[in-house]
Amino acid sequence: EDLLGADWRAAAAAGVEAGIRALPADKASMLFADTDIGSLIDENRPFYLSPDGTGVVIVFDKYEIAAGAAGSLEFTVPIPGK
């Protein structure tokens, strides 16, 4: 909330969904079709700050949203005003 604002869940979900749309076709084909990203964004979702400090990197474990061959997936959500 401190980084993404009061509506941080929606901002994080939208950022992840944008990142998913930008995945290469080979990785995108490994995603589970029925995954509801919004339901996976909560206070316990692993994240870290991007090295340049302009984004929050949301982390999904291997097998969480895609086949194991996709590995762990990370999506950067821009911090407003950075």
Side-chain angles (χ1 to χ4, degrees):
E1 184 175 356
D2 293 338
L3 299 171
L4 298 178
D7 200 12
W8 64 272
R9 288 178 194 217
V16 168
E17 289 168 359
I20 287 172
R21 287 190 299 276
L23 283 174
D26 61 329
K27 276 234 180 178
S29 68
M30 293 185 222
L31 292 168
F32 299 140
D34 59 348
T35 302
D36 177 12
I37 297 299
S39 69
L40 297 175
I41 304 296
D42 63 17
E43 299 85 10
N44 299 313
R45 169 65 34 211
F47 74 93
Y48 61 92
L49 291 177
S50 63
D52 63 3
T54 62
V56 174
V57 182
I58 308 291
V59 180
F60 293 93
D61 292 331
K62 187 175 181 178
Y63 301 109
E64 191 171 9
I65 64 170
S72 174
L73 295 173
E74 299 182 352
F75 301 95
T76 302
V77 180
I79 297 172
K82 294 273 182 174

